[in-house]
Amino acid sequence: MVPPTEALTGGTGPVDRQTLRLLETHLVDDPLVETTGFDPDPHEPRVLTATLDTGRYPASVATARIDIRWFTSGDFSIHYLETESSGGHWECRWDRHPSDHNTRLHFHIPPNGRNVRDIPELSEHPLEVYSTVLTAIDERIEALWSEND
């Protein structure tokens, strides 16, 4: 997968600190989220990271997190990453940014995010995007449990 920081080039604009903080206030209240943090720091955040509660996952998942980048242009990258107990990774990413490989709004498909498909419709409102992503993660967790039955 192309790292999110490399994927977002040109035209994304400055980091939208207000939106990152808004999303953080919702993440801290989500029962799936264990911790949140800003990188490099809360005063000049570029990335919001949410570490997820692996107690909600089967033992095959060692860690899970969401990395969120949001820009004043409305462009964003939301990267979901699971590290498996075996050392492997399962990841995907929702993006809106100028792209020469797909439309502006696209999704990097799991398990490795290398394949990309366009997303025909997704709200521009950060909380609706957040809801879409968290719903997809909940569905992923349910699928993992189903696989382990």
Side-chain angles (χ1 to χ4, degrees):
M1 175 184 279
V2 176
T5 52
E6 292 176 25
L8 297 175
T9 57
T12 56
V15 171
D16 188 340
R17 292 184 211 118
Q18 184 176 3
T19 295
L20 288 178
R21 289 187 179 103
L22 169 70
L23 293 170
E24 197 256 353
T25 62
H26 286 269
L27 284 164
V28 297
D29 290 334
D30 193 297
L32 180 60
V33 176
E34 197 166 81
T35 63
T36 62
F38 292 104
D39 184 34
D41 63 60
H43 305 292
E44 293 293 327
R46 278 178 271 181
V47 179
L48 168 60
T49 296
T51 303
L52 305 183
D53 178 5
T54 53
R56 295 178 165 264
Y57 290 79
S60 60
V61 175
T63 65
R65 75 169 197 266
I66 306 167
D67 295 326
I68 303 172
R69 292 167 175 77
W70 207 283
F71 301 90
T72 57
S73 63
D75 289 347
F76 62 82
S77 173
I78 302 178
H79 183 210
Y80 172 69
L81 175 67
E82 294 171 5
T83 302
E84 300 164 350
S85 300
S86 64
H89 293 93
W90 191 97
E91 60 188 299
C92 60
R93 193 173 75 226
W94 293 259
D95 284 340
R96 181 175 31 231
H97 63 86
S99 169
D100 54 3
H101 58 76
N102 279 77
T103 62
R104 184 178 196 85
L105 186 59
H106 54 273
F107 178 69
H108 293 259
I109 302 166
N112 58 23
R114 289 189 188 108
N115 294 319
V116 183
R117 70 172 167 82
D118 294 339
I119 302 174
E121 293 182 34
L122 185 64
S123 172
E124 292 192 19
H125 194 281
L127 293 180
E128 290 182 24
V129 174
Y130 162 86
S131 178
T132 297
V133 170
L134 269 287
T135 297
I137 292 170
D138 284 338
E139 290 169 359
R140 165 66 178 161
I141 295 169
E142 287 177 26
L144 283 168
W145 282 107
S146 294
E147 291 171 10
N148 286 297
D149 286 341

